[in-house]
Every structure is written in structure tokens, then in C-alpha cells.
Amino acid sequence: MCALRVPAMAATGFAAQSILRRVVPSFLSSRPTTHVVGDVFSGTNLILRTPLHPSAFGICSLPQAIKGDADILLKGVGDKNTIEDVKRIVELAKRASLRREVLHTDFLTPPVLKESMLVLERLADLKIVAQGGYPEAERCRLSVGHSEALTSDPDNVVALSISGNFSFQPCSHGDFLGAILGTGIARNKLGDILLQGEKGAHVLVVPELSDFLVSALDKVGNVSVSCKKIPLLALEYEPPRTKSSKSIEASLRLDAVASAGFKVSRTKMASLISNGDVRVNWSTVTKSNTTIKTGDMISVSGEGRLKIGEIISTRKGKFAVELIRYL
């Protein structure tokens, strides 16, 4: 099977843009400069603006939020695992708006990004720009600022090309991630990793660490590599290869479904879960009896990722679960 390869900037970006359409009333803005201070969505930058009449939509002004309404806003967060992260982003937005400057988050996971935007769109006089380097980016950065300060597309994502001879020693996403983290870079400073087959990979990072990574990264697995900056327009996105299967399960417990999807024993999976090596929708889960649902993304350290597809109840009271394994 041959994989379709398309230039990242030519992609439709439907995944990223669909989240934005669901989350906020958005307006496309012309390319405006950024006053960068501090620390996520597509290479096609979208500038979002909150409604002009907050009271008509029950939206708080930033001064109101500072006086205590922030806690009320956080009560609407659907994914409770993201509350602390969302709270920090709201505080960042407050500072940015009051000081009339632009501030940036680190790279955010999709759940934190979604919940943050749901909250921030209720704050008046605030603009939000989400960037990840290419249209279908999963990990993205948010730039927030007062509507009079955020007047241009922030330049806050840098692309790097990691190249080497991977013809005889192919490396996985985990191999590249491990090598990069091994240089001392924190995970939230790193965006998506786009595998390029035997040529290597393209990665997205925060600008302030790009030079460090270029000089520090010299090996991935047992392969010697070189690292250099490339334009975002040069990014190539290869849709991930997947393999689907079906499993009949007596319950939708995490340990049962994940063990079937990753083809490991249930005992081993339970151990991985209790050790904190399993994440559901990018959040660590340590309880084996956590219930899984359609659309959940399960990640296991050293094993990869698994998406839960359609779940159908059988006549015998069991569940036919579609398992989509990322290769």
C-alpha cells in the first residue's frame, strides 16, 4: 500500500478547523506582527475574535473574570482532567489583556486546547490564535492578547528536519520523541513529529529551543542524524498508517480493550496502567476499570497509539469494539 504524501500547507486542515468551528464564533483575519512575550493550530493561521456584545451571550469581560468569574467559567469545562491546565491558560489570558501584550502557551494536547478555547471565547476583548505548524496538527500553541494588541499572526512555531540513513534501521515516532527528550527538552516544548520514512522526520518546536536542538541532537536510535531548520511551507504530512480490527469484549474496561488492541496480556496491560504508562485522550490513567468509549485515543508507552472506533452491543450482552491501531 502506498501512502499519500501532500505538502502540509496544501492540506485542507479540516480536523483543526472543525474544532475551531465548534468551539468559537471565528473570523478569518488578514495577516497582521506580534509583540512576542513568553511562551497551537495550523500553518494556516486562524485569528479568532470573541463576540462584540458579550452581555448578549453571557460572556464575561476580563475585569469581571479577574474579580472571581474565572471559577464560574471553569465549571463549564467538560473534561475535568484538563481543569488545572485551562485555569493556567485563563490566568495567562488575563495578564495578556490587562498589559496589552501577547502571550503564548506551550504546545497543548487536543483536549486542553479544546476546553481552553471553549472558556476563552466567553471573555470579551480577547483574541486567540491557534497554531501547530500545519493544518492537521494535533499539538498546538495558543497565542492570547487584547484585541488591540494581537494584530498579527504570531511567529511562534519552528519546523526542523531530522535527517539520516534510516533505510536499514527504521525508527518509530517513539524513537524520535525519546531522542529529542533525551536532549533535555520538555515535552510541552515540542509539537507534532511527522515521520518521513527512511529520510527521517520533521518536528515542530518552540522558536527559543530550535537552535539548541539543531546543535544537540546527533543520534536517533543507532542512526546518526543531522538537524536543521526548514520553512513551515516545506513540511510534508504523511497521513498515519492504521490497521483496524474487531474484538468482542465482556466490558468496556480500559485494561480489557487496550490489551486486545495492543495484543498484550491483560495482566501486563493492568501493570502498565497502574505504573502510569497508559494515557487516554492524552491524560494519564491509573485505574484499569476506566470505561472506554467511541473516539477515545489510548496511548501506551513503548506500544504506540490506539483509537476506539464503533462500539456495538451484541445480542449476548457483550461489546463488538472496532480497534484502530496506529502503525
Side-chain angles (χ1 to χ4, degrees), residues 5 161-167 170 176 194-202 223-226 234 236 238:
R5 296 179 64 87
S161 174
I162 303 173
S163 57
N165 185 4
F166 294 93
S167 301
F176 281 94
L194 306 175
L195 298 181
Q196 303 296 307
E198 62 184 32
K199 294 187 296 182
H202 292 165
V223 179
S224 295
V225 299
S226 61
E236 290 186 343
E238 181 178 336

Side-chain angles (χ1 to χ4, degrees), residues 299-318:
S299 304
V300 178
S301 299
E303 297 290 344
R305 296 191 298 169
L306 173 73
K307 186 174 183 179
I308 306 302
E310 186 180 21
I311 300 176
I312 300 175
S313 297
T314 70
R315 293 180 179 179
K316 296 183 178 180
K318 295 186 177 183

